[in-house]
Amino acid sequence: MTEPRKSWDAALVRTWLERRYEASRLDQAAADRRGYDARDDFDKAAAEEWACRALKHADCTNEQATFAARLKELIGQDDYAATGMNDDIRFERHVRTYLRKLAKMTKANEGFDKTLRYQ
C-alpha cells in the first residue's frame, strides 16, 4: 500500500532552515576554534549558513514548486559571494552540494521534520 503524500508545510520548512542556520553558525565557531586542521569543516558550515540565509526569509518557501525553482536557480548560479572562507572553490562546491541536498528533500517533501542540531 502506498502512503498518502504529505502536503507542503511552509512553516516547518522555515523552522528547519532557521535551526540549520543557527547550527551552522555554531559549527563554524567550533571549527574556527579547532584551527588549521578544521578548515574544511569551517567551509562546510559556512556553505550551509549561506544556503539557509539565502532561503529562510524568502517568500519562495510558501509553495513547494517555487521553493524548488529557487533552489534550481541558486544551484545554477556561477559564484556565491562570501568573505572569510579558507578556500573559495571548496566553499562553492559545498554550497552546491548543500543546495542539491535541499532540492532532493524538497522533491520528496521529507526531512524537514528533523530539527535536531546534528543530522
Side-chain angles (χ1 to χ4, degrees), residues 39-47 85-87 90-91 94:
R39 291 177 302 160
D40 190 50
D41 293 339
F42 181 88
D43 288 345
K44 279 182 186 177
M85 298 305 109
N86 295 302
D87 184 347
R90 183 173 50 207
F91 170 74
H94 289 316

Side-chain angles (χ1 to χ4, degrees), residues 50-69:
W50 188 95
C52 290
R53 186 175 1 99
L55 295 166
K56 72 178 182 170
H57 293 299
D59 289 335
C60 65
T61 57
N62 294 331
E63 296 290 328
Q64 186 175 8
T66 55
F67 191 64

Side-chain angles (χ1 to χ4, degrees), residues 11-20 23 105 111-119:
L12 181 65
V13 172
R14 283 191 291 275
T15 300
W16 186 88
L17 288 168
E18 183 64 40
R19 290 196 179 166
R20 292 311 311 152
M105 289 173 60
F112 292 109
D113 55 339
K114 298 175 183 172
T115 56
L116 297 177
R117 177 167 177 216
Y118 298 105
Q119 296 195 4

Side-chain angles (χ1 to χ4, degrees), residues 1-117:
M1 294 218 156
T2 60
E3 201 172 294
R5 190 173 172 153
K6 296 186 299 186
S7 63
W8 183 255
D9 187 355
L12 181 65
V13 172
R14 283 191 291 275
T15 300
W16 186 88
L17 288 168
E18 183 64 40
R19 290 196 179 166
R20 292 311 311 152
Y21 175 80
E22 293 301 324
S24 67
R25 301 213 12 119
L26 292 172
D27 291 344
Q28 280 182 72
D32 196 35
R33 284 191 300 271
R34 286 194 322 255
Y36 185 79
D37 291 335
R39 291 177 302 160
D40 190 50
D41 293 339
F42 181 88
D43 288 345
K44 279 182 186 177
E48 182 177 5
E49 178 195 2
W50 188 95
C52 290
R53 186 175 1 99
L55 295 166
K56 72 178 182 170
H57 293 299
D59 289 335
C60 65
T61 57
N62 294 331
E63 296 290 328
Q64 186 175 8
T66 55
F67 191 64
R70 177 67 178 141
L71 285 168
K72 188 174 182 178
E73 178 184 314
L74 287 173
I75 291 169
Q77 199 170 309
D78 285 336
D79 62 338
Y80 304 97
T83 58
M85 298 305 109
N86 295 302
D87 184 347
D88 290 336
I89 295 170
R90 183 173 50 207
F91 170 74
E92 290 179 5
R93 185 178 66 235
H94 289 316
V95 169
R96 283 190 184 92
T97 301
Y98 194 76
L99 290 171
R100 284 187 201 106
K101 173 189 169 188
L102 282 174
K104 286 179 185 177
M105 289 173 60
T106 301
K107 184 177 181 181
N109 192 17
E110 53 186 36
F112 292 109
D113 55 339
K114 298 175 183 172
T115 56
L116 297 177
R117 177 167 177 216

